[in-house]
Amino acid sequence: MRISDQEMMLKTDLPFDKAPPYRIKAVEYTIPTTREKRKEIMKKHGYSGRLLPAKYVFINMVTDSGTGALSDRQWSAMMEGDESYFYCRSFEFFEESVQKFTGMPYVFPSHQGRSSEAPIYEVLVKAGDKIPSNTHFTTTSAWSFQRGAEPVDFVCKDYLDENNRGWFKGNMDVKAFEEYFIQHAEKIPLVELVVPNNLNGGQAVSMENIREVRKVIDKYKKIDTQFYLDIARISENAWMIKAHEPGYADKTCLEIVNEMLSHADGCHMSAKKTGMVNMGGFIALRDKKVWQKMQPKVIRTDGYITYGGLSGRDLESLAVGLIEGVNDYYLQDRQRQVDYFANACKKRGVHILEPAACFAVYINAGKCLPHLDHTQGPATCLSAQAYIEGGFASTAMDSLQRGRIDPANPLDVSKRTKAPYELIRCAMPRRVYFEPHYDWAAECLARAMAWGDKLPGFKPIADDRPPLEMSEIGLHTFFDDYEPVFPLP
Ligand code: F0G
């Protein structure tokens, strides 16, 4: 018999602040490698965590998306998956779970985050519109471009101040947003807040910020502007609110998630993160008419509206994982692990972006390798060298790889925007690694950093791929390749 959601929340004096509230039932082995082999692999596979064959990676923090371990509760629910095409039993269970999580009545399953964004952008956004956000994820900015609209980011000033130690540096700059909104209100059908702000250091968003954005929309809207949250990691953001925003210490993370979403008209989720599944997502919203307009779009590409590209067993796993991932004991332990890794880095002199986020540690590679400037890919270099040191894979998010590019000169790095920080994202898979892994990952980064100016800058490799379309421009990061100007040690 499965442990129930209620039992998982019982009061306890067990040390769940020091050890995970779960144990291990299945394990996954790693192929042993040597330094020479890893050097060879790196060279052959484009010096990037994204291109490395995963089988040769010891500790994989390239992404926390779909990389978590399922629980016994999820596996057993999967055996109950109903694979009927229309209105399967599993959909009812899924719908109930999403309604409990979001407080919203209308729900679509989808096979991942970006496929849940598609009908939202198709129904709400048209050419000439402007879509403000704290910082769009790559796919929502691509959907904006695809619709002929312009994604606009309002990054808060605290994030740009390296010495700021605030807990909510993922917030939208509400003042700047307000001025912009007053000017363009009739062209803004949708405002998006990404909670937490993945592309800006994974920083959390406060409840106050969500409330303020809502107020600006209500005060100045000229059309039916919808306010949506991109909630891939909302449960972990809720933990940050519980831990650091006054007035929330005694609320459960589920209550906090409910309150965050009470200010929104709708949301879309890549459930591959705090939904605790390997594949899956959803849309939830309040407006029946908008929901009805989305239905044919979902049917056209993802099958029927009660499965959205997922099998019955996926719906079961997601329904269980969504509530498991917002459990307070689990989230407390998750944050403890992030903090442990952040401290393991700092102890070894590896510079991180402060504060550590709630799902990842972002390494400030610009500070680790000061001899490389933003055109030379310090994060690209440090991330590649850390793999050579000890099989640790991560994602470089520096200006070289992530700067917005000039569509007319996609290979001209000098035309690329400079990112506020040259970051490596070490995104932590859920329920997968333990302290010795985090220590080793930090050790790899420290050993890489110790090479100092013996580490080379990187430059783009010209290729003859057909150019990307304007709407795909943010996706260049998946196709551009780089090489070091001299060999890595
Ligand atoms: N929104 C956010 C904030 C995301 O981080 C992602 C994916 C998506 C939407 C899209 O979801 O991948 O399920 O289609 N982020 C992954 C990452 C890829 O590594 O950060 P998806």
Side-chain angles (χ1 to χ4, degrees):
M1 195 60 163
R2 275 188 252 165
I3 301 176
S4 69
D5 290 333
Q6 290 72 25
E7 282 171 311
M8 286 178 78
M9 292 290 284
L10 291 175
K11 285 211 175 330
T12 188
D13 55 5
L14 296 175
F16 284 175
D17 56 338
K18 298 189 179 66
Y22 51 82
R23 60 189 174 208
I24 308 300
K25 207 185 229 43
V27 297
E28 188 177 348
Y29 275 88
T30 304
I31 297 181
T33 55
T34 60
R35 185 183 185 91
E36 292 79 69
K37 173 93 177 162
R38 290 192 297 273
K39 251 174 120 162
E40 187 190 305
I41 292 168
M42 230 348 159
K43 194 167 171 200
K44 186 165 164 207
H45 294 282
Y47 302 94
S48 150
R50 137 181 85 76
L51 299 171
L52 284 173
K55 66 181 175 183
Y56 294 129
V57 177
F58 174 33
I59 299 172
N60 200 332
M61 295 201 200
V62 170
T63 179
D64 62 324
S65 182
T67 53
L70 298 186
S71 70
D72 57 338
R73 301 167 83 247
Q74 288 174 290
W75 282 113
S76 63
M78 284 165 79
M79 287 304 291
E80 295 172 30
D82 171 8
E83 305 302 342
S84 308
Y85 192 100
F86 293 110
Y87 222 105
C88 62
R89 203 176 57 235
S90 302
F91 173 72
E92 292 178 45
F93 180 37
F94 166 87
E95 187 184 38
E96 202 180 295
S97 173
V98 175
Q99 286 167 340
K100 178 175 168 187
F101 188 78
T102 61
M104 296 185 184
Y106 301 111
V107 171
F108 291 111
S110 67
H111 59 83
Q112 58 182 95
R114 64 202 71 189
S115 49
S116 61
E117 295 154 14
I120 296 171
Y121 277 75
E122 252 193 297
V123 168
L124 299 179
V125 180
K126 61 179 188 330
D129 287 343
K130 294 169 190 305
I131 315 297
S133 176
N134 48 348
T135 310
H136 281 275
F137 183 67
T138 325
T139 50
T140 57
S141 60
W143 281 121
S144 303
F145 283 130
Q146 205 272 340
R147 300 297 295 161
E150 185 191 355
V152 192
D153 295 339
F154 295 93
V155 180
C156 80
K157 293 191 179 60
D158 287 356
Y159 178 69
L160 303 173
D161 172 6
E162 198 184 320
N163 298 315
N164 187 300
R165 288 290 178 275
W167 290 107
F168 297 106
K169 290 158 69 171
N171 283 350
M172 186 186 245
D173 181 340
V174 178
K175 231 176 137 3
F177 165 65
E178 183 170 4
E179 281 166 24
Y180 187 87
F181 193 80
I182 291 170
Q183 241 186 331
H184 300 283
E186 70 286 350
K187 285 198 172 313
I188 302 180
L190 175 66
V191 177
E192 289 251 29
L193 268 192
V194 186
V195 293
N197 193 332
N198 182 13
L199 294 193
N200 277 338
Q203 299 294 297
V205 174
S206 68
M207 190 73 82
E208 190 190 3
N209 196 246
I210 298 174
R211 240 184 265 123
E212 284 179 347
V213 171
R214 174 88 249 176
K215 264 197 226 149
V216 170
I217 296 171
D218 288 346
K219 193 163 168 195
Y220 300 109
K221 71 177 174 193
K222 297 219 176 95
I223 56 172
D224 183 22
T225 302
Q226 299 276 300
F227 179 30
Y228 272 53
L229 302 192
D230 178 344
I231 61 168
R233 302 174 180 87
I234 190 172
S235 303
E236 289 159 351
N237 196 116
W239 176 265
M240 295 296 266
I241 290 175
K242 182 178 167 77
H244 302 295
E245 191 163 348
Y248 289 94
D250 296 331
K251 298 208 164 167
T252 65
C253 288
L254 178 58
E255 285 167 343
I256 296 171
V257 165
N258 285 166
E259 186 179 329
M260 291 166 85
L261 287 166
S262 72
H263 300 293
D265 300 300
C267 60
H268 48 91
M269 182 179 211
S270 166
K272 300 167 72 171
K273 286 83 166 174
T274 60
M276 310 299 275
V277 288
N278 303 121
M279 198 54 72
F282 62 80
I283 307 170
L285 69 162
R286 297 185 197 288
D287 187 324
K288 188 174 178 185
K289 289 240 150 40
V290 176
W291 177 63
Q292 287 169 328
K293 280 195 210 163
M294 287 178 187
Q295 289 175 352
K297 322 282 183 219
V298 173
I299 294 172
R300 194 178 55 198
T301 48
D302 284 330
Y304 194 55
I305 54 172
T306 54
Y307 78 87
L310 294 175
S311 56
R313 69 182 83 92
D314 294 331
L315 294 170
E316 294 276 342
S317 172
L318 209 172
V320 173
L322 194 59
I323 305 301
E324 235 175 65
V326 75
N327 177 280
D328 290 29
Y329 295 129
Y330 158 73
L331 285 169
Q332 178 180 27
D333 186 66
R334 170 86 171 144
Q335 190 64 50
R336 182 190 61 79
Q337 293 189 26
V338 174
D339 293 341
Y340 183 91
F341 180 40
N343 285 326
C345 292
K346 287 196 275 186
K347 227 167 53 189
R348 291 169 174 83
V350 176
H351 302 280
I352 72 161
L353 186 93
E354 300 265 19
C358 46
F359 64 97
V361 173
Y362 288 66
I363 307 298
N364 189 338
K367 256 182 132 171
C368 295
L369 301 180
H371 68 292
L372 300 178
D373 71 23
H374 76 277
T375 64
Q376 295 172 302
T380 303
C381 175
L382 193 67
S383 171
Q385 187 64 32
Y387 173 74
I388 292 174
E389 296 300 331
F392 171 59
S394 52
T395 296
M397 291 184 162
D398 50 21
S399 305
L400 188 62
Q401 302 224 17
R402 288 274 171 167
R404 281 258 157 82
I405 69 177
D406 175 353
N409 303 283
L411 285 172
D412 186 345
V413 183
S414 64
K415 300 238 164 66
R416 218 161 264 189
T417 52
K418 183 176 177 307
Y421 302 99
E422 305 300 313
L423 297 176
I424 297 176
R425 187 186 70 172
C426 306
M428 296 163 62
R430 297 173 181 80
R431 304 189 292 211
V432 170
Y433 295 120
F434 293 99
E435 285 74 1
H437 294 113
Y438 299 132
D439 279 318
W440 182 247
E443 190 60 34
C444 291
L445 289 161
R447 288 185 190 185
M449 185 179 145
W451 288 100
D453 59 14
K454 293 193 180 62
L455 292 177
F458 272 66
K459 61 177 174 50
I461 306 173
D463 69 20
D464 55 1
R465 288 181 64 84
L468 295 177
E469 289 179 16
M470 185 57 199
S471 68
E472 297 157 347
I473 220 71
L475 309 179
H476 68 88
T477 178
F478 294 102
F479 306 107
D480 290 356
D481 286 327
Y482 308 92
E483 62 186 0
V485 295
F486 56 84
L488 289 165

